[in-house]
Amino acid sequence: MHSPGEPPPTRRLIAHLDMDAFYASVELLRYPDLRGLPVVIGGGRRHQPETLPDGSRRYFRLRDYTGRGVLTTSTYEARALGVFSAMGTMKAAQLAPDAVLLPVDFDEYRRYSRLFKAAVREIAPRIEDRGIDEIYIDLTDVPGALADGGRAAGRRLKAAVREATGLTCSIGITPNKLLSKLASELDKPDGLTLLGFADIPARIWPLAARKVNGIGPKASERLAALGLHTVGDIAAAEPAFLVRQFGANYGRWLHDAAHGRDEREVVTHSEPVSISRETTFERDLHAVRDRATLSGIFTELCVELAGDLARKGYASKTIGIKLRFDDFKSVTRDLTLPAHTMDARTIRRAAGECLKRVDLSRRLRLLGVRAGALARLADLVAPAAAPEPAPEAPAAPGELPLFAQAGPPPGR
């Protein structure tokens, strides 16, 4: 095989921190009696555990689930039974009928996300937020980190996260982001993995090619068709061959990635492009027959979106909607406003205008509202762009006759 290459001239130490089965672990703090059992997260409000008179709880089991939902995550015990995130709930029920099904609680997950990130910043302030449960951390300038390859800093980070949240995390520490993300997966759960360039042949090359962030399902299939199944297979391939097969940019990137080369910086700040709220229904809803239900859901999404904008300090000038129908086709519509807003009623009116531009004769399976063209409230100094009043209580569905322009409902 080819040499894994020399480390870059400037020595860096980058960590990737990934919370262990994050959503499920948060739920186990709330329901400690479920520890050690197969548990899946992805239910709706009707799957809330029931507290019995004696103080014990009755949980919903997967065998009793009906619908077409998708799992958000699962505990390691459920994963051992073949149940993973993004799996259809009915399929999961066949594999693990006795598994406990809990509803999703994103507000709680976001709270714990803020807690663990704040704990990390106390030790290493240069972090790149990659989502609710993972971050990159630049340890290069953390005192003493370079001396032991980041081992002591990694232990401090894990202890701080555990103290702040009661949860475990897995951390990979290497010279760059690409290797650190791979390393954080190697010893889950509760792992701390340190790798240098010399470790690549033994620890990275045996991994499946799809483990590399940036090699998606289609690229993985093409690589497999060429006989390149592992990272080591790609590393052994001639660069010119990869360029011929995948083009100049991606081919060169594949060669560099397989040898652990990655010069990307830890990006400590980026502005969101948009903020959205959406929900998938447990049964298809029709615009006329289920008008009251849809109108209430639509209003609630708009109020939640306004709350997200206010909490994050943004206002929006473009409001959009997203619909997915029973044939799985999706449509989106947008409306640009004369001024930025974070007001729930203004968002609701704009989203309603977007809705009028959609044929609603088919049943709906998903409904979403999006706020784009964002601006920070602190930057909106013109009077016309000042923040609007806090969201008022939503009107009753009957006062906002959405979905009324649709055609007659199909026959039952």
Side-chain angles (χ1 to χ4, degrees), residues 112-126:
Y112 274 90
S113 179
R114 291 191 293 271
L115 287 173
F116 93 75
K117 290 169 186 174
V120 168
R121 284 191 179 94
E122 290 294 319
I123 299 170
R126 288 184 55 81

Side-chain angles (χ1 to χ4, degrees), residues 53-70:
D54 63 359
S56 63
R57 298 186 186 93
R58 177 184 294 136
Y59 296 103
F60 198 94
R61 302 285 174 170
L62 268 183
R63 73 160 69 88
D64 300 318
Y65 180 86
T66 56
R68 56 167 183 233
V70 174

Side-chain angles (χ1 to χ4, degrees), residues 121-134:
R121 284 191 179 94
E122 290 294 319
I123 299 170
R126 288 184 55 81
I127 75 169
E128 179 178 332
D129 198 327
R130 297 302 299 170
I132 195 168
D133 62 348
E134 63 172 317

Side-chain angles (χ1 to χ4, degrees), residues 11-17 116-130 134-143 153 157 177 263-269:
R11 190 178 176 196
R12 295 192 302 161
L13 205 58
I14 307 299
H16 180 259
L17 185 154
F116 93 75
K117 290 169 186 174
V120 168
R121 284 191 179 94
E122 290 294 319
I123 299 170
R126 288 184 55 81
I127 75 169
E128 179 178 332
D129 198 327
R130 297 302 299 170
E134 63 172 317
I135 54 176
Y136 288 106
I137 313 161
D138 192 335
L139 298 176
T140 307
D141 297 324
V142 172
L157 290 169
K177 291 162 71 171
E263 293 302 306
R264 291 174 300 158
E265 297 291 332
V266 170
V267 180
T268 58
H269 178 73

